[in-house]
């Protein structure tokens, strides 16, 4: 196995993990907030918000990548502002890959968490309120623990999606080894070079292991959560 | 002291109720859809009335005119829901103390919760869940306790198991209790005051003995629910016969079963349809309980039945007979007659301490 993977491949794997992890962790609180908004609140523009959240899921990834380039590039309205004020740059850097992965994973995370929130019996939240709990305390002590399986599912789904993201990432930040070349773009790149099948095989095996591992960890955590509730 | 005056339009249904409840247990009684739950939800702040005012003791919970509307968590209202609503991810101990631990040791003892503390709600029976819900509501030291059909989801055996706990609470906890129910035997056993709701309005309200034995209230409370509720004292125990002798202002009654200690008070419900009337003292019949009574009122209903109000000593009784019997016996207000109460007619679920 180690024979199959050279230093370049290892760099791509570690970068992929870092990009996917950062993307998931940054997107999770926002996804929780948006999911709560969509599941519980009625406000004008709710359908519009729902549509915008789902856009990365239905648009061709290349289009999403191009839009990211336009908006978050150094000449773009948001990207330019962030660069001028905070010195943050996304262009051709791993942070850009994380941004692209996070945006592509976002709708999946929102959907899973929203289902979890909708499954929570609002009667329990009412009961907590009659027991003197403020809204914030109801949310943190009743809603959040009961939505936990949904959050977990959303996080794992998001992580897996972020690991596999290709189209938007390569359009937005290209595939620079050590900066933005994640496992999928490394595989794609190697496939263009004759004689690199062993390296491709190694990366494919790693991809399968990572995906299976994420799935097993989520199953295990979900079972533990269910067990805690039934015990 | 509790004052509720609420108006709320819910689709076609209009709630317009004005209730004043004294200390003790006030039962809100009515068919399903009569607005019972809406009233307790308005008290707890889970439903906002269109207009009105809700006051508990010195605290104004809601006043449309003054734009007062306390948030649910600031109302100090204990609420026991029909479906218990225990938090599934917490054990019994954490459920109980979620809102506070006021008087925790005594409540755990009073409700028999000591053995349940480490269990999770999923493993509890319906009756156990309701006991935990009761303890949880009381541990946040509420100024009023709301109970919305707390026994409706339980079978007869579980009901019989939890009723004594509720009675103990009623006698030990010094806060007003609002008890929603459509089951008259529960209400007769627990409440001092009854409010009968019909289509969102208060149809009749008052002390429970007065309301349920009032002949003209029969159509409102229902034929099966109508009947006297009297306080009696255990005067003798005929254990070899399996009977208990009870005395009240109108005489003595024999009831089956061992109902308690000598001198103890027993609340008795005598359904109107279990009372038979006779002009003369009957002889040679199997019924044990024959009381001299005076007719105080006759209410002709729309159907074949007639409600007859009776006075036995100082206590009010109610009988339901057919219109035909009424005419044949030539009954009239002021007459002295006899009421025959079949002792076995009073089931154990109708006998309360």
């Amino acid at each position: 196995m180690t024979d199959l993977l050279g230093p370049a491949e290892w760099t791509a794997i570690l970068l992929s993990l870092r990009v996917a992890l950062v993307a998931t962790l940054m997107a999770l609180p926002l996804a929780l907030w948006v999911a709560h908004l969509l599941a519980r609140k009625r406000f004008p523009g709710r359908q519009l918000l729902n549509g915008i959240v789902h856009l990365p899921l239905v648009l061709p990834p290349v289009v999403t990548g191009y839009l990211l380039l336009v908006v978050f590039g150094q000449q773009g309205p948001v990207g330019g502002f962030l660069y001028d004020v905070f010195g943050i740059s996304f262009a051709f850097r791993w942070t850009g890959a994380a941004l692209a992965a996070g945006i592509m994973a976002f709708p999946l995370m929102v959907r899973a968490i929203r289902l979890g929130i909708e499954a929570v019996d609002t009667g329990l939240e009412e009961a907590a309120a009659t027991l003197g709990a403020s809204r914030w305390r109801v949310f943190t002590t009743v809603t959040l623990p009961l939505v936990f399986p949904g959050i977990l599912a959303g996080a794992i789904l998001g992580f897996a999606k972020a690991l596999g993201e290709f189209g938007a990432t390569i359009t937005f930040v290209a595939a620079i080894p050590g900066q933005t070349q994640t496992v999928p773009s490394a595989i794609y790149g190697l496939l263009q070079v004759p004689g690199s099948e062993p390296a491709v095989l190694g990366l494919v095996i790693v991809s399968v292991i990572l995906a299976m591992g994420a799935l097993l960890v989520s199953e295990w955590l979900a079972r533990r959560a269910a067990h805690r509730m039934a015990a | 002291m509790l004052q509720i005056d609420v108006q709320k339009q819910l689709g076609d249904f209009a709630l317009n109720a004005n209730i004043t409840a004294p200390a003790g247990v006030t039962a809100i009684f009515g068919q399903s859809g009569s607005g019972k739950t809406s009233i307790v939800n308005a008290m707890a702040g889970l439903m906002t009335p269109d207009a009105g005012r809700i006051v508990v003791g010195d605290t104004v919970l809601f006043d449309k005119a003054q734009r007062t509307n306390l948030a649910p968590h600031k109302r100090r209202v204990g609420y026991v829901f029909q479906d218990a609503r225990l938090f599934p991810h917490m054990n019994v101990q954490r459920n109980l103390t979620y809102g506070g631990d006021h008087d925790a040791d005594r409540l755990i003892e009073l409700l028999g919760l000591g053995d349940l503390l480490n269990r999770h709600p999923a493993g509890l029976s319906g009756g156990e869940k309701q006991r935990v819900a009761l303890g949880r509501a009381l541990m946040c030291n509420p100024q009023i306790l709301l109970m919305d059909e707390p026994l409706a989801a339980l079978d007869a055996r579980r009901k019989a198991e939890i009723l004594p706990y509720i009675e103990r609470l009623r006698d030990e906890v010094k806060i007003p209790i609002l008890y929603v129910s459509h089951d008259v035997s529960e209400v007769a056993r627990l409440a001092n005051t009854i409010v009968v709701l019909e289509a969102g309005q208060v149809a009749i309200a008052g002390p429970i003995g007065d309301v349920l034995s009032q002949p003209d209230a029969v159509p409102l409370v229902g034929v099966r629910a109508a009947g006297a509720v009297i306080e009696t004292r255990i005067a003798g125990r005929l254990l070899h016969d399996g009977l208990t002798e009870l005395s009240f202002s109108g005489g003595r009654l024999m009831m089956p079963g061992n109902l308690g200690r000598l001198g103890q008070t027993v609340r008795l419900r005598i359904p109107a349809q279990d009372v038979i009337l006779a002009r003369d003292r009957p002889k040679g019949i199997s019924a044990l309980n024959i009381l001299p009574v005076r007719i105080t009122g006759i209410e002709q209903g729309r159907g074949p039945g007639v409600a007859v109000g009776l006075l036995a000593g100082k206590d009010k009784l109610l009988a339901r007979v057919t219109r035909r019997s009424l005419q044949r016996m030539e009954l009239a207000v002021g007459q002295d007659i006899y009421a025959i109460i079949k002792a076995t007619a009073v089931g154990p679920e109708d006998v309360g301490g």
Side-chain angles (χ1 to χ4, degrees):
Chain A
M1 175 88 187
T2 36
D3 297 345
L4 298 176
L5 298 170
E9 282 73 45
W10 277 112
T11 307
I13 291 166
L14 292 177
L15 179 72
S16 264
L17 284 173
R18 180 161 58 157
V19 163
L21 205 65
V22 168
T24 310
L25 291 180
M26 297 300 275
L28 200 58
L30 192 64
L32 180 61
W33 182 64
V34 170
H36 190 259
L37 225 64
L38 290 173
R40 289 290 174 78
K41 307 281 188 235
R42 295 288 172 270
F43 54 92
R46 182 168 160 269
Q47 283 310 321
L48 187 68
L49 177 67
N50 192 31
I52 291 172
V53 164
H54 279 87
L55 220 48
L57 198 64
V58 288
L59 275 180
V62 176
V63 173
T64 306
Y66 174 72
L67 289 174
L68 283 173
L69 201 57
V70 170
V71 177
F72 286 94
Q74 254 173 50
Q75 272 81 50
V78 180
F81 171 80
L82 288 174
Y83 184 69
D84 292 344
V85 178
F86 301 105
I88 298 173
S89 166
F90 292 110
F92 309 111
R93 299 204 51 228
W94 74 272
T95 45
L99 178 67
I103 284 187
M104 292 302 286
F106 195 68
L108 293 173
M109 296 168 78
V110 170
R111 283 175 79 86
I113 297 172
R114 183 177 169 180
L115 282 178
I117 292 175
E118 282 169 349
V120 172
D121 177 4
T122 52
L124 293 174
E125 294 167 325
E126 288 181 350
T130 67
L131 292 167
S134 64
R135 276 184 183 207
W136 177 246
R137 181 157 182 245
V138 172
F139 183 73
T140 52
T141 59
V142 176
T143 316
L144 212 50
L146 292 175
V147 179
F148 181 71
I151 295 175
L152 198 67
I156 300 292
L157 217 56
F159 182 75
K161 173 74 191 170
L163 268 183
E165 217 302 305
F166 175 66
T169 309
I170 206 161
T171 313
F172 182 32
V173 290
I176 304 159
Q179 273 299 336
T180 62
Q181 194 188 54
T182 57
V183 170
S185 48
I187 293 175
Y188 180 78
L190 286 169
L191 285 175
Q192 317 298 311
V193 184
S196 56
E197 280 79 6
V200 170
L201 182 64
L203 286 175
V204 166
I205 292 172
V206 168
S207 296
V208 171
I209 289 172
L210 284 178
M212 283 301 285
L215 217 63
L216 288 176
V217 167
S218 88
E219 290 280 322
W220 178 69
L221 285 171
R223 242 200 317 274
R224 252 188 41 165
H227 181 73
R228 229 168 22 129
M229 248 171 258
Chain B
M1 187 70 166
L2 173 66
Q3 276 176 294
I4 313 161
D5 174 17
V6 289
Q7 286 92 52
K8 175 84 176 176
Q9 191 72 37
L10 294 158
D12 288 342
F13 178 78
L15 178 71
N16 184 3
N18 191 338
I19 296 168
T20 304
V25 179
T26 299
I28 300 192
F29 180 76
Q31 306 287 315
S32 55
S34 57
K36 306 187 294 287
T37 300
S38 300
I39 288 179
V40 281
N41 280 345
M43 293 241 28
L46 303 180
M47 180 268 268
T48 307
D50 298 334
R53 188 175 147 86
I54 300 170
V55 183
V56 178
D58 305 325
T59 316
V60 179
L61 301 183
F62 178 81
D63 191 329
K64 185 72 180 181
Q66 287 177 20
R67 296 186 171 202
T68 304
N69 187 12
L70 280 188
H73 69 276
K74 292 187 178 147
R75 293 196 174 200
R76 292 187 55 222
V77 161
Y79 198 149
V80 178
F81 298 87
Q82 181 177 339
D83 47 353
R85 301 196 184 175
L86 300 182
F87 305 125
H89 56 300
M90 300 181 193
N91 66 12
V92 169
Q93 168 85 48
R94 286 181 58 212
N95 263 285
L96 282 172
T97 54
Y98 184 84
D101 57 1
H102 169 77
D103 223 356
D105 295 338
R106 195 172 66 106
L107 284 168
I108 288 171
E109 143 97 66
L110 206 64
L111 290 163
L113 299 172
D115 295 336
L116 306 178
L117 294 177
N118 291 319
R119 308 252 303 268
H120 268 71
L124 301 182
S125 74
E128 288 168 338
K129 280 183 191 163
Q130 283 301 14
R131 268 151 57 197
V132 176
L134 250 173
R136 183 178 71 170
L138 289 169
M139 279 188 203
C140 57
N141 194 16
Q143 47 181 345
I144 178 174
L145 183 64
L146 310 174
M147 301 179 79
D148 184 12
E149 306 246 17
L151 307 182
L154 308 180
D155 60 33
R157 250 172 84 190
R158 299 271 176 235
K159 269 187 205 178
E161 171 197 308
I162 193 176
L163 269 166
Y165 289 109
I166 300 181
E167 280 171 339
R168 259 152 86 188
L169 281 180
R170 173 194 63 191
D171 301 335
E172 299 228 354
V173 179
K174 303 284 175 236
I175 53 171
I177 299 176
L178 217 56
Y179 190 97
V180 169
S181 179
H182 67 273
D183 180 342
V184 78
S185 59
E186 254 171 67
V187 167
R189 186 165 164 171
L190 295 171
N192 320 99
T193 309
I194 183 171
V195 175
V196 180
L197 276 190
E198 195 182 50
Q201 309 236 349
V202 176
I204 186 168
I208 186 149
D210 292 352
V211 169
L212 289 180
S213 62
Q214 206 168 304
D216 56 7
V218 173
L220 298 171
V221 301
V223 174
R224 277 187 186 78
V229 176
I230 57 173
E231 300 283 342
T232 66
R233 211 167 42 77
I234 297 184
R237 306 206 301 169
L238 307 161
L239 295 179
H240 53 284
D241 286 334
L243 295 174
T244 302
E245 189 176 16
L246 304 167
S247 78
F248 75 111
S249 72
R252 289 182 172 230
L253 293 168
M254 308 264 213
M255 290 293 150
N258 180 4
L259 302 181
R261 301 183 313 274
L262 214 61
Q264 207 179 331
T265 319
V266 175
R267 190 187 274 199
L268 212 61
R269 183 172 104 83
I270 304 171
Q273 47 187 3
D274 292 344
V275 178
I276 297 167
L277 300 181
R279 299 231 24 178
D280 305 305
R281 180 178 274 275
K283 291 189 189 97
I285 66 167
S286 63
L288 287 169
N289 297 315
I290 300 167
L291 300 171
V293 294
R294 172 166 293 171
I295 297 179
T296 55
I298 295 176
E299 186 70 26
Q300 310 242 3
R302 269 165 303 203
V306 178
V308 182
L310 308 167
L311 200 62
K314 288 178 196 142
D315 283 295
K316 292 171 186 158
L317 297 182
L318 187 68
R320 210 178 119 79
V321 298
T322 60
R323 187 175 313 222
R324 191 179 164 85
S325 305
L326 183 84
Q327 285 157 0
R328 210 182 52 204
M329 291 169 72
E330 295 171 351
L331 297 180
V333 173
Q335 267 176 355
D336 289 318
I337 57 166
Y338 292 89
I340 299 148
I341 299 157
K342 274 186 73 182
T344 51
V346 182
E349 83 273 16
D350 286 350
V351 182

